[in-house]
Amino acid sequence: MKHDPRDNVLIAFADPTRRAILERLSRGEARVTEVAAPFAISLNSVSKHIRILERARLVRRRRVGREHVLRINPKPIEDAAAWMRTRTEQWSGRLERLAHLLDATPPD
């Protein structure tokens, strides 16, 4: 089975630290050290979380001198949300058809 890029997005969303990093970046760009500051984990651990977010294309990094500046990339979030909306609509329709079918079926 072919790997779907949305898998990386969903994996990234699965962790509360990564969700907190995304929440921070939703307010604007930040240096890696600023992003790491509120967490009671090492800078190395935060960097691993950032790499997972980068692999999912949720975060972009640029260098300014010696600093690494991060910003959120909303496109993968929008794509994942659209995929989930489509699946929700599909399942809602299926469940509605099943309910109608069950309502129309005479009892034994």
Side-chain angles (χ1 to χ4, degrees), residues 12 18 21 43-59 61 70:
R18 292 190 289 269
I21 291 169
L43 181 59
N44 188 44
S45 293
V46 173
S47 291
K48 288 178 182 179
H49 285 292
I50 291 169
R51 282 193 296 277
I52 290 168
L53 292 168
E54 288 175 313
R55 190 177 319 131
R57 298 182 352 252
L58 292 164
V59 168
R61 179 190 307 243
L70 304 173

Side-chain angles (χ1 to χ4, degrees), residues 13 22 26-27 36 41 57-58 63 65 71 79 89 105:
F13 285 157
L22 289 171
S26 72
R27 297 189 302 271
I41 58 176
R57 298 182 352 252
L58 292 164
R63 290 187 71 164
R71 68 183 161 98
D79 292 347
E89 291 166 5
T105 303

Side-chain angles (χ1 to χ4, degrees), residues 86-100:
T86 301
R87 295 307 166 280
T88 300
E89 291 166 5
Q90 286 176 346
W91 279 105
S92 292
R94 289 174 182 167
L95 291 172
E96 192 173 305
R97 288 190 300 278
L98 177 60
H100 290 312

